[in-house]
Amino acid sequence: MRPRRFLAVLALLVAVALALPTFAAPLGDPVGDGVSVTTTNSTNAEYVRVTGDGELTLDLATSNPALSGAGVNAEAVTYIDDAFRVRYDGDRFASVWLTTEADGIAFRARGARLGSRADAIRLNPNGSVSVGVVVDTTTGTPPEDASFSVEARVAEAGDVTDGTASSGGTGGSTGDGSSEETLMQVEHPSATSRTVTVENAVVGRPNTAAMDRLVVDREGDGVVTLDELTVVGQSTLEMDVSVTEPDAAGPLPASTSMRPVGAVRVEERRGTVDQATFRFAVDRAYLAATGVDPESLTLYRYDGSERSELDVEVVGRSGGDVFLEADTPGLSTFVIAAAAPSIRVEAAELRPATVTPDERTTVTATVTNDGRVAGERTVALTLDGDVIGERRVTLAPDESAQVTFRVRAPGGTHDVRVGAADAGRLVVEGATPDGGATPVASNPAENVTETPPAVSPEAADTPAVSTDEPVAEPAGGSLPATVAFVAGLLALLVLMALARRVRR
């Protein structure tokens, strides 16, 4: 190959290498004794890499070309689901846990944290578990990266019994002196139901069953799913989990201002569950389609005689999806509900109550939102039961506004109402249109003029709602990629100049 052509090809390769972003191949890192870490098929594998020293690291920097926007949210709790997986290929079973010295970083698997050996989970032969990452930046600056270690202890030959733990089991003593391991099985009788069986449950220890995204509600392309159910009991537990209609336990009290979203019934077939934890996921498509504020979601438990509202906690966010958890002292029917506006006309009045046919009276009504979220409503003005005017009102929670109508009516006595509120009786007396007064339109709606609603002074000071979502920049290269591209072009120009000199 001629020197000039060789140099040109070399320059092109250098430029391409510098200009293009680096794409990481799936990670495969052996931990030892048949335990390994892999990102193959992981949903959020781009967050994990191996350093030159062989350390496992979470790459949370904005310079990570695989991440979009501003990276991890500041002053928020972000959940990164399925960042990597831990696999065991041995023939016994392995206890696995993770450690890190980074502030604000925690790991979760099967609905529980994995921060120490006490939190270890058991893996069966050829078993694996998906691990998520919780990044808490509410008390500090988001870390650029965070090294972590996967620790494992493989059972000795004498530890293996016929009661080897299945995936999802937590292992340990049953509390009756035996050393049998906890067994868990989740069956899928239908798309809307699951059957969970736990054998040799350890007293006081949680057992987490993966629900395989059991769809509780669907809106457009979005869904609310039950992802995990963690139960605490002893001996043998068997439960039927099924999606049911939100009104299966009757309507929610009107005073709650909540709208049912979906419902799940959990029935105990064997044993007694002392405590349980639900873990739900609400994807971004559902939030966009419904406009639901995830912070307003709650869970009601119906035990057959009364309803109780459970505390729901947002435990993480990832890519616009939101993950929620709720604890319950027992099982029964559970209704997921979203806060809804509760807008009503509080009071209405008209002044003056007596007018002539060519005069107008002023009808004023106070409209209030007693709900937990903002909403809007069309308020109707009626004259003797006929709608003669409407006004659309938008109110924030606990906000009030005044709606005013200017009304002209034909002679006689008329009942005036705004919504369900009685404004009083309007008496129109005196000269008729034939006597020279201003004509009254045959269509009563033409005799109404509207005034924009006046928001109460307290509501006017309500601050704008903020969001923790990162701001996505317009499509384009990042600063490191731009610098690399320019460097590549400069290298190409230098090598072309050298080639011209060699030719001369």
Side-chain angles (χ1 to χ4, degrees):
M1 180 181 293
R2 295 180 181 178
R4 182 165 63 88
R5 181 173 299 178
F6 171 77
L7 291 174
V9 172
L10 178 61
L12 180 61
L13 292 176
V14 171
V16 171
L18 290 172
L20 292 180
T22 300
F23 294 92
L27 176 150
D29 187 58
V31 176
D33 294 330
V35 178
S36 61
V37 178
T38 178
T39 57
T40 302
N41 297 325
S42 292
T43 305
N44 290 301
E46 63 270 15
Y47 285 93
V48 184
R49 62 181 174 84
V50 178
T51 66
D53 298 331
E55 288 187 335
L56 290 167
T57 301
L58 296 174
D59 187 357
L60 306 174
T62 56
S63 58
N64 184 341
L67 306 185
S68 60
V72 178
N73 293 341
E75 299 182 1
V77 178
T78 302
Y79 181 63
I80 304 170
D81 188 33
D82 192 21
F84 59 92
R85 301 177 186 186
V86 181
R87 181 174 178 80
Y88 175 57
D89 293 314
D91 56 2
R92 299 172 186 174
F93 59 84
S95 297
V96 177
W97 66 98
L98 290 88
T99 60
T100 181
E101 296 182 359
D103 293 333
I105 301 294
F107 299 93
R108 294 181 67 88
R110 297 175 182 165
R113 298 207 171 199
L114 295 177
S116 66
R117 184 168 180 174
D119 301 326
I121 57 175
R122 299 281 180 114
L123 294 180
N124 279 349
N126 300 315
S128 66
V129 64
S130 171
V131 180
V133 182
V134 179
V135 184
D136 186 351
T137 60
T138 56
T139 58
T141 304
E144 289 285 316
D145 55 61
S147 298
F148 65 95
S149 299
V150 178
E151 310 289 345
R153 177 186 177 276
V154 176
E156 300 293 337
D159 294 336
V160 181
T161 68
D162 293 336
T164 303
S166 66
S167 61
T170 54
S173 170
T174 62
D176 59 2
S178 67
S179 59
E180 291 184 282
E181 295 296 327
T182 300
L183 297 169
M184 178 175 290
Q185 183 178 6
V186 180
E187 298 178 346
H188 298 58
S190 69
T192 60
S193 64
R194 306 287 187 265
T195 298
V196 181
T197 304
V198 184
E199 295 185 10
N200 305 323
V202 180
V203 176
R205 290 199 60 181
N207 304 275
T208 299
M211 294 288 100
D212 192 25
R213 291 179 59 82
L214 179 62
V215 176
V216 179
D217 188 40
R218 186 184 302 274
E219 187 70 36
D221 295 329
V223 291
V224 177
T225 58
L226 175 60
D227 286 2
E228 292 176 341
L229 174 62
T230 300
V231 294
V232 176
Q234 61 179 321
S235 189
T236 299
L237 307 172
E238 189 172 348
M239 296 150 282
D240 287 333
V241 183
S242 59
V243 177
T244 186
E245 294 298 324
D247 59 355
L252 296 175
S255 59
T256 64
S257 300
M258 302 296 289
R259 175 178 63 84
V261 168
V264 176
R265 178 184 290 116
V266 186
E267 297 179 298
E268 296 163 307
R269 293 170 57 180
R270 294 176 63 187
T272 301
V273 173
D274 302 322
Q275 184 179 351
T277 300
F278 291 93
R279 185 164 186 266
F280 295 94
V282 186
D283 66 23
R284 55 185 171 185
Y286 186 91
L287 295 174
T290 61
V292 167
D293 177 5
E295 299 286 350
S296 75
L297 289 170
T298 192
L299 193 67
Y300 287 90
R301 179 191 179 211
Y302 179 69
D303 62 5
S305 59
E306 61 180 5
R307 297 174 184 80
S308 57
E309 184 175 0
L310 305 178
D311 291 332
V312 177
E313 179 184 3
V314 176
V315 296
R317 299 172 186 265
S318 177
D321 299 346
V322 179
F323 302 91
L324 310 124
E325 283 187 0
D327 295 328
T328 173
L331 301 179
S332 55
T333 299
F334 300 86
V335 178
I336 306 172
S342 178
I343 299 177
R344 59 189 177 85
V345 179
E346 218 170 17
E349 64 176 355
L350 59 88
R351 291 183 181 178
T354 302
V355 295
T356 62
D358 59 352
E359 292 180 329
R360 294 179 184 269
T361 187
T362 301
V363 180
T364 304
T366 301
V367 186
T368 301
N369 181 10
D370 293 326
R372 304 185 188 183
V373 295
E376 57 182 21
R377 175 182 169 182
T378 298
V379 177
L381 169 70
T382 61
L383 188 71
D384 298 328
D386 296 324
V387 176
I388 62 171
E390 293 182 332
R391 189 70 181 170
R392 193 73 173 169
V393 182
T394 301
L395 296 174
D398 298 323
E399 184 181 32
S400 296
Q402 281 195 336
V403 179
T404 302
F405 301 90
R406 293 275 293 158
V407 181
R408 183 174 61 183
T413 301
H414 309 280
D415 291 323
V416 181
R417 303 182 73 86
V418 181
D422 184 6
R425 286 197 159 194
L426 173 62
V427 178
V428 182
E429 59 184 18
T432 64
D434 293 335
T438 303
V440 177
S442 58
N443 180 4
E446 296 178 7
N447 299 307
V448 177
T449 59
E450 301 174 2
T451 303
V455 179
S456 61
E458 296 82 0
D461 294 331
T462 302
V465 178
S466 62
T467 176
D468 291 329
E469 291 296 323
V471 178
E473 297 292 339
S478 63
L479 179 59
T482 302
V483 172
F485 180 72
V486 172
L489 290 180
L490 290 175
L492 177 60
L493 292 174
V494 170
L495 291 175
M496 290 180 64
L498 291 174
R500 291 175 63 87
R501 179 170 293 184
V502 169
R503 183 178 179 185
R504 292 176 181 177

